[in-house]
């Protein structure tokens, strides 16, 4: 790869690397390039287990202090693949094919980041063409690195390559379609990469903030379907929030560049609106709609504990506990004697809790 790069034969090298990554042979037959990685679960599992060093995602400094993305040696990758397949039944020729494919994938990622001159139209064309097979099927934590310069992936700060306009990248990511990675997850994760950057936290990028919220809502609904009737995980007495739902809640809390009224209206109109109760509460708190939030927890969700926790957060700037107490003691025609007694006991508890927050 380095010899091809020094000779400027980027298209030839990337074509060979793509074939090597897809089928384990550096053939140039175009049919070889169309073999998706999606149907190769063993290969994808191995790739997902490689470290950032083995993937070439950590920079090294030259004598002049310039940061470079290093090519990972074939021997290093071969040893790692052998280690990861140890204990499984695999023929020698299959093992060699896996090694070749891993070399092709990892080298392609490094080549696209280090050797293709993105200041030229030909460089951008090559990057677009040969990034597709990587982006379609590889985990986004690996594949999306071709759009960013991450000096240390373990630290959540990214330096965006200004040669990539985010909206152009998004169009490309969507155009690739679904592979082993859904197009909307690829798009959402790319937005996660860039929206933590200062230059993307402004009104000029409001559309991208809104898009990320929309994508996370859709992915959270998918996640809910996958979980189905399965009970949520509980650790130390606390219910663990599903990953995507947690990402949505966190983004709603920290971003100032989406339209809260539009988002909460969208969540309220969903048949699954109760599933997004805490996400709605984030916006109710931001907009100081405390009566609405507490009513949601009491009457829609039926969870006094969540209503109390919300009142505790909101009490610093409002009479949230008074609102909670009022709603608890508000008479209802259809309340039974038992329900009235229960509400009285709950109201006493709230009064005691509010004294703690005074």
């Amino acid at each position: 790869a380095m010899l091809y790069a020094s000779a400027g034969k980027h298209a030839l090298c990337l074509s060979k690397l793509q074939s090597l990554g897809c089928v384990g042979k550096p053939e140039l037959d175009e049919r070889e390039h169309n073999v998706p990685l999606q149907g190769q679960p063993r290969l994808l599992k191995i790739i997902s287990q490689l470290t950032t060093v083995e993937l070439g995602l950590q920079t090294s400094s030259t004598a002049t202090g310039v940061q470079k993305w290093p090519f990972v040696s074939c021997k290093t990758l071969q040893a790692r693949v052998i280690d990861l397949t140890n204990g499984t039944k695999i023929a020698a020729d299959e093992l060699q094919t896996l090694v070749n494919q891993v070399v092709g994938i990892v080298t392609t990622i490094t080549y696209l980041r280090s050797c293709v001159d993105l200041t030229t139209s030909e460089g951008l064309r090559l990057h677009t063409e040969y990034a597709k097979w990587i982006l379609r099927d590889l985990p986004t934590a690996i594949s999306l690195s071709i759009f960013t310069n991450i000096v240390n992936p373990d630290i959540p700060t990214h330096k965006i390559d200004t040669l990539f306009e985010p909206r152009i990248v998004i169009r490309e990511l969507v155009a690739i379609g679904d592979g082993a990675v859904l197009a909307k997850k690829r798009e959402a994760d790319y937005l996660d990469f860039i929206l933590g950057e200062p230059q993307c936290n402004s009104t000029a990028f409001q559309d991208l903030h809104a898009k990320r919220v929309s994508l996370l809502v859709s992915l959270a609904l998918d996640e809910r379907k996958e979980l189905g009737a399965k009970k949520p995980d509980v650790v130390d007495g606390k219910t663990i929030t599903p990953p995507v739902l947690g990402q949505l809640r966190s983004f709603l809390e920290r971003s100032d560049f989406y339209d809260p009224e539009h988002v909460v209206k969208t969540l309220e109109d969903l048949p699954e609106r109760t599933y997004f109760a805490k996400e709605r509460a984030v916006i109710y708190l931001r907009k100081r709609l405390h009566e609405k939030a507490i009513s949601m927890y009491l009457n829609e969700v039926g969870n006094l504990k969540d209503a109390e926790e919300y009142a505790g957060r909101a009490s610093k700037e409002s009479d949230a506990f008074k609102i909670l107490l009022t709603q608890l003691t508000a008479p209802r025609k259809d309340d039974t004697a038992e329900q009235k007694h229960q509400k009285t006991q709950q109201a006493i508890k709230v009064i005691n809790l509010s004294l703690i927050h005074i």
Side-chain angles (χ1 to χ4, degrees):
M2 289 185 283
L3 289 173
Y4 279 118
S6 61
K9 297 182 178 180
H10 304 305
L12 180 61
C13 184
L14 287 167
S15 181
K16 284 179 173 288
L17 287 173
Q18 181 177 355
S19 189
L20 186 66
C22 287
V23 297
K25 296 181 293 183
E27 302 295 337
L28 290 176
D29 188 335
E30 188 63 30
R31 289 170 298 179
E32 305 283 21
H33 295 177
N34 296 321
V35 178
L37 304 179
Q38 184 176 7
Q40 304 181 60
R42 175 181 276 174
L43 172 64
L44 291 176
K45 184 177 180 180
I46 288 172
I47 289 293
S48 67
Q49 291 176 298
L50 296 179
T51 66
T52 54
V53 173
E54 290 161 349
L55 287 164
L57 298 184
Q58 287 187 329
T59 58
S60 62
S61 297
T62 64
T64 57
V66 176
Q67 296 285 312
K68 291 189 65 177
W69 299 102
F71 281 98
V72 182
S73 74
C74 294
K75 286 185 178 180
T76 297
L77 292 173
Q78 181 177 24
R80 184 63 170 144
V81 173
I82 291 173
D83 179 56
L84 290 172
T85 55
N86 186 33
T88 61
K89 293 182 179 180
I90 182 169
D93 57 339
E94 281 186 84
L95 179 60
Q96 187 57 56
T97 296
L98 275 175
V99 171
N100 291 347
Q101 288 183 278
V102 170
V103 169
I105 291 168
V106 173
T107 307
T108 297
I109 293 172
T110 304
Y111 199 99
L112 287 171
R113 301 183 70 167
S114 301
C115 302
V116 177
D117 184 0
L118 297 173
T119 62
T120 67
S121 57
E122 176 63 9
L124 284 171
R125 184 192 71 77
L126 287 172
H127 193 284
T128 301
E129 180 179 352
Y130 288 101
K132 289 178 181 178
W133 70 281
I134 294 290
L135 292 163
R136 184 177 56 206
D137 296 319
L138 292 187
T140 54
I142 298 169
S143 65
L144 290 176
S145 67
I146 63 175
F147 292 115
T148 56
N149 290 329
I150 308 175
V151 175
N152 186 345
D154 298 322
I155 300 175
T157 55
H158 311 88
K159 179 184 176 184
I160 301 172
D161 192 326
T162 54
L163 292 166
F164 293 111
E165 207 289 321
R167 294 171 185 83
I168 295 176
V169 172
I170 288 170
R171 284 201 297 270
E172 292 294 334
L173 294 177
V174 173
I176 293 168
D178 293 338
V181 178
L182 293 176
K184 60 184 175 182
K185 174 167 175 52
R186 194 183 302 127
E187 186 180 0
D189 288 353
Y190 172 73
L191 287 172
D192 181 43
F193 263 69
I194 68 171
L195 293 184
E197 293 299 313
Q199 63 263 47
C200 289
N201 285 329
S202 68
T203 53
F205 291 90
Q206 279 181 314
D207 59 320
L208 298 186
H209 285 253
K211 183 64 175 174
R212 182 155 197 255
V213 172
S214 175
L215 288 165
L216 286 174
V217 170
S218 178
L219 289 166
L221 289 171
D222 292 345
E223 182 178 62
R224 183 173 185 265
K225 288 179 183 177
E226 289 177 13
L227 292 172
K230 179 185 174 184
K231 292 184 178 180
D233 294 328
V234 177
V235 177
D236 296 330
K238 293 184 178 180
T239 301
I240 303 302
T241 303
V244 179
L245 194 63
Q247 289 177 35
L248 172 61
R249 191 180 308 162
S250 174
F251 189 69
L252 291 175
E253 288 173 337
R254 71 176 190 268
S255 173
D256 294 320
F257 300 101
Y258 63 88
D259 181 349
E261 287 85 358
H262 173 74
V263 173
V264 80
K265 178 70 165 57
T266 299
L267 296 178
E268 288 172 343
D269 289 345
L270 290 172
E272 303 89 350
R273 59 185 175 275
T274 302
Y275 184 68
F276 294 100
K278 291 194 174 182
E279 289 64 46
R280 289 158 58 191
V282 169
I283 299 177
Y284 292 147
L285 184 63
R286 176 176 289 194
K287 303 299 292 182
R288 299 187 180 185
L289 300 173
H290 306 314
E291 289 188 14
K292 199 167 187 177
I294 289 170
S295 176
M296 172 191 71
Y297 279 129
L298 291 179
N299 304 315
E300 184 182 326
V301 181
N303 192 318
L304 176 61
K305 183 179 178 182
D306 284 345
E308 291 171 346
E309 289 178 356
Y310 179 91
R313 292 195 301 273
S315 63
K316 296 176 183 178
E317 57 180 31
S318 70
D319 294 328
F321 279 107
K322 182 178 178 181
I323 295 169
L324 175 56
L325 191 60
T326 300
Q327 293 197 18
L328 275 175
T329 55
R332 287 191 175 186
K333 292 181 180 180
D334 55 348
D335 278 353
T336 64
E338 183 180 349
Q339 287 173 323
K340 289 178 181 179
H341 175 72
Q342 185 181 19
K343 282 187 174 181
T344 300
Q345 296 302 311
Q346 290 173 339
I348 293 171
K349 181 183 175 184
V350 169
I351 292 171
N352 292 331
L353 187 61
S354 65
L355 293 174
I356 297 173
H357 288 267
I358 293 177

